[in-house]
Amino acid sequence: MISYYLTVITIVLGVGAYLWIARTRRRAQAGLAGSAFPVSSARNDRPLWEVYKEWSDACGSTMIHLMLQRSDVVVINDYPTAHELLVVRSLDYSSRPHFPMMDLIGRQDNVVVQKYGQRLKIARQMINDTFGSRKSEEWLPVVQTVSSEFLSRLLADPADFRRSIQRYVGTFTTRLTYGKDLDTDYLRLVDQVGEHVSQAAVPGRWWVNSYPFLRYYPSWAPGGGFQRWARHARGLFREFTLRPFNSVKEQLQRSPDTVPFSFVQKNLIQVKNDPSMETIVAGTAASLYSAAVDTTSSILTTFFLLMATHPHIQEKAAAEIREVVGQDRLPNLGDAGDLPYVEALIKELHRYHPVVRFLTRSASKSDEHGGHLVPQNAWVLTNIWAITRNKSEFEDPDQFDPDRFIQGGTHINDIRARDPRDFTFGMGRRRCPGMAIANAAVYLAITRVLATFLIKPVKDEGSNSAPQIEFTKSTIS
Ligand code: HEM
């Protein structure tokens, strides 16, 4: 969901940027342009996070304000402003922009897109109480087991490492959510419902997204095709949500002692047959797969790419693991404090290629910061990529260099720069509730792969050149 939702937002903002440029040009022609804005540099073949940082630098302002059709979009490009608005004033910046078509296809309860309120707080509390770091004795054994299965799959088919990564993350997520592996039919359903989400928010495709009253338009009337499409999508999403949920519920009713630990198992026991709370358990469980899989797979895929292109860094991290852990066992979470270079490598992965480039919020009321007005309901985007490229905090920011996080190189507390995970997992009340699991899963996969494999680039026949580092322009790549 995160990826679909944010990809759509990127497309929308692409349109926004275009309109903004058009407006600026008109103003310039009319002799109204106040500053020499780098309009020519805003070519649409560049990622928006780079363009927005450039505009922000050119204006000498960490916040910039764009118009998207009739909506205000405020982009924050530095950490202190993001901290002030998203953490200190978090109550006013914890909602998400609203797409009425999302409600029509049944996604109003998805944790990622939900507006801030009581229901969301309950859902987040359930996730924290199940998957928080203090509950690791319940979920960690599952991640550990699946990380060993991941190594076996990699060994069997090293060339297919991307699919093995997806399988690793998908498997621990479904085992932790429902206590079991999901069949291929169900995984096909995952793809279908994901596609519906991306369709639901395509800009300009649905009038109902611009004119919300159309949600009451009858499906039988001329032009009511969108209602029929939404009904079909809603039906599939219902099946996606209820099929695995009901299976755990029935098993709990039949023989509770045989049901393994999972999010649904734990929270169904907790809510004691309260139907409205059971709906929240089902909806929250259905939110977890897409939130976990695209993001965690993204950072692990980046790890493989950067190890293939930076062999000296790979060797340094592998040597540290050999020295501390030895070669008779696999690394565990308990080794983390003794592996400062590996810890620095993971931080640098988050910084060099942040998984989510924009945090997307909407302002619940009008506000002002540093002379900038934030109108009520404006989209407030935090440009995470711009924060990672701040030269005063991260020297030479385009270099991949884990050493930037190590001072003496001997202990984990000798850390110079800010831990990028302070912002790459989000900030304030909507910060990623799966962070503890994500950190453990990334750490286990990375240390165990470094301990057992050597990652090398596949070179074209007859060529000696290393692979190019290239990322897609979607907000998760
Ligand atoms: C490296 C892996 C991951 C990264 C980088 C990541 C990052 C993020 C980010 C940036 C957000 C938006 C936060 C904000 O708006 O402030 C988010 C939200 C979320 N993440 Fe993660 N995430 C990861 C893994 C996971 C995992 C493994 C799970 C579940 C087990 C998960 C569950 C969620 C959920 C449910 C939300 C929505 C929270 C809300 O809207 O209130 N994430 N994540």
Side-chain angles (χ1 to χ4, degrees):
M1 169 73 70
I2 288 194
S3 70
Y4 292 116
Y5 183 61
L6 293 180
T7 303
V8 167
I9 283 171
T10 305
I11 301 166
V12 171
L13 293 174
V15 176
Y18 168 76
L19 294 176
W20 193 91
I21 294 161
R23 239 167 71 108
T24 308
R25 282 195 179 131
R26 277 202 300 279
R27 286 162 61 97
Q29 279 158 9
L32 295 171
S35 63
F37 216 78
V39 170
S40 59
S41 65
R43 299 191 322 262
N44 63 6
D45 60 347
R46 293 184 49 220
L48 279 170
W49 42 92
E50 284 185 31
V51 174
Y52 290 168
K53 179 176 186 322
E54 200 171 286
W55 288 356
S56 151
D57 291 347
C59 291
S61 164
T62 56
M63 283 169 88
I64 55 175
H65 188 163
L66 319 171
M67 288 304 293
L68 155 66
Q69 293 166 347
R70 286 169 301 137
S71 308
D72 295 279
V73 179
V74 174
V75 187
I76 301 168
N77 291 283
D78 74 323
Y79 181 82
T81 309
H83 187 269
E84 172 62 30
L85 300 195
L86 271 49
V87 179
V88 179
R89 305 184 198 177
S90 69
L91 194 55
D92 302 330
Y93 290 91
S94 292
S95 253
R96 305 269 193 217
H98 182 229
F99 295 96
M101 189 44 123
M102 289 285 183
D103 298 349
L104 283 183
I105 66 167
R107 301 312 173 88
Q108 61 285 350
D109 293 339
N110 186 294
V111 179
V112 180
V113 300
Q114 229 177 90
K115 67 176 199 256
Y116 193 70
Q118 191 55 21
R119 202 179 172 93
L120 178 85
K121 283 197 230 169
I122 294 172
R124 287 188 57 101
Q125 191 64 49
M126 285 177 179
I127 304 178
N128 284 330
D129 288 347
T130 316
F131 293 151
S133 51
R134 269 179 290 168
K135 299 292 169 179
S136 66
E137 77 280 0
E138 289 182 317
W139 52 258
L140 187 56
V142 176
V143 185
Q144 261 163 338
T145 305
V146 185
S147 73
S148 301
E149 293 168 15
F150 169 54
L151 296 182
S152 308
R153 258 187 83 88
L154 263 186
L155 189 61
D157 190 359
D160 205 12
F161 73 95
R162 296 181 71 169
R163 203 193 299 247
S164 299
I165 291 172
Q166 292 259 340
R167 177 74 78 91
Y168 165 51
V169 185
T171 304
F172 77 67
T173 304
T174 49
R175 282 190 203 168
L176 288 175
T177 307
Y178 299 109
K180 58 177 98 185
D181 292 348
L182 301 174
D183 55 51
T184 37
D185 260 7
Y186 187 80
L187 294 177
R188 218 166 291 132
L189 201 55
V190 171
D191 288 343
Q192 280 172 304
V193 298
E195 177 57 25
H196 289 151
V197 174
S198 49
Q199 293 296 323
V202 168
R205 169 143 188 206
W206 311 105
W207 286 80
V208 66
N209 279 343
S210 307
Y211 303 98
F213 64 87
L214 288 175
R215 61 182 300 164
Y216 302 110
Y217 194 79
S219 60
W220 46 262
F226 73 98
Q227 291 281 23
R228 292 192 290 278
W229 180 83
R231 194 166 50 222
H232 169 72
R234 199 162 59 237
L236 282 188
F237 183 63
R238 211 178 131 72
E239 189 186 344
F240 168 84
T241 306
L242 291 183
R243 206 205 289 173
F245 173 81
N246 284 339
S247 143
V248 180
K249 190 175 164 185
E250 279 157 25
Q251 213 186 330
L252 263 178
Q253 282 159 352
R254 262 198 328 266
S255 52
D257 295 342
T258 64
V259 187
F261 162 79
S262 73
F263 176 84
V264 171
Q265 174 260 1
K266 179 168 171 163
N267 286 287
L268 270 181
I269 293 172
Q270 209 87 27
V271 303
K272 300 191 179 95
N273 297 322
D274 175 336
S276 66
M277 293 296 274
E278 282 192 2
T279 318
I280 301 184
V281 176
T284 307
S287 312
L288 294 174
Y289 186 89
S290 49
V293 175
D294 296 342
T295 47
T296 315
S297 303
S298 160
I299 197 162
L300 290 177
T301 309
T302 304
F303 161 74
F304 274 79
L305 173 66
L306 291 172
M307 290 305 95
T309 49
H310 297 76
H312 58 291
I313 292 177
Q314 181 180 185
E315 174 46 29
K316 195 166 167 184
E320 184 182 70
I321 293 172
R322 275 197 301 276
E323 197 179 308
V324 171
V325 178
Q327 287 178 299
D328 301 330
R329 66 170 176 92
L330 289 172
N332 277 315
L333 274 191
D335 301 313
D338 298 319
L339 298 172
Y341 190 75
V342 173
E343 186 68 10
L345 165 64
I346 292 173
K347 285 182 186 170
E348 182 64 346
L349 278 171
H350 276 277
R351 187 204 66 82
Y352 180 77
H353 188 65
V355 171
V356 177
R357 317 297 162 69
F358 290 116
L359 304 181
T360 309
R361 306 290 177 83
S362 88
S364 309
K365 61 178 201 199
S366 299
D367 194 12
E368 186 273 334
H369 177 69
H372 293 272
L373 180 70
V374 182
Q376 186 174 24
N377 297 327
W379 289 25
V380 179
L381 302 183
T382 300
N383 186 348
I384 295 294
W385 185 86
I387 296 176
T388 68
R389 272 14 186 208
N390 179 348
K391 290 192 175 115
S392 60
E393 198 160 0
F394 303 110
E395 212 181 300
D396 208 356
D398 291 330
Q399 281 305 312
F400 179 68
D401 176 19
D403 275 313
R404 71 174 74 246
F405 292 108
I406 300 207
Q407 210 157 37
T410 50
H411 197 272
I412 202 157
N413 292 327
D414 294 338
I415 283 164
R416 275 183 303 176
R418 184 193 312 283
D419 186 338
R421 290 169 294 190
D422 286 355
F423 49 85
T424 57
F425 280 104
M427 297 167 79
R429 292 171 195 229
R430 299 305 288 261
R431 188 166 161 79
C432 176
M435 191 171 99
I437 290 182
N439 278 334
V442 167
Y443 172 88
L444 286 171
I446 286 181
T447 50
R448 291 179 169 197
V449 166
L450 286 171
T452 50
F453 288 85
L454 177 63
I455 302 167
K456 287 169 78 174
V458 178
K459 290 181 182 157
D460 290 340
E461 230 169 281
S463 150
N464 259 338
S465 56
Q468 294 284 313
I469 299 184
E470 268 181 42
F471 297 103
T472 63
K473 278 182 259 163
S474 57
T475 47
I476 297 180
S477 69

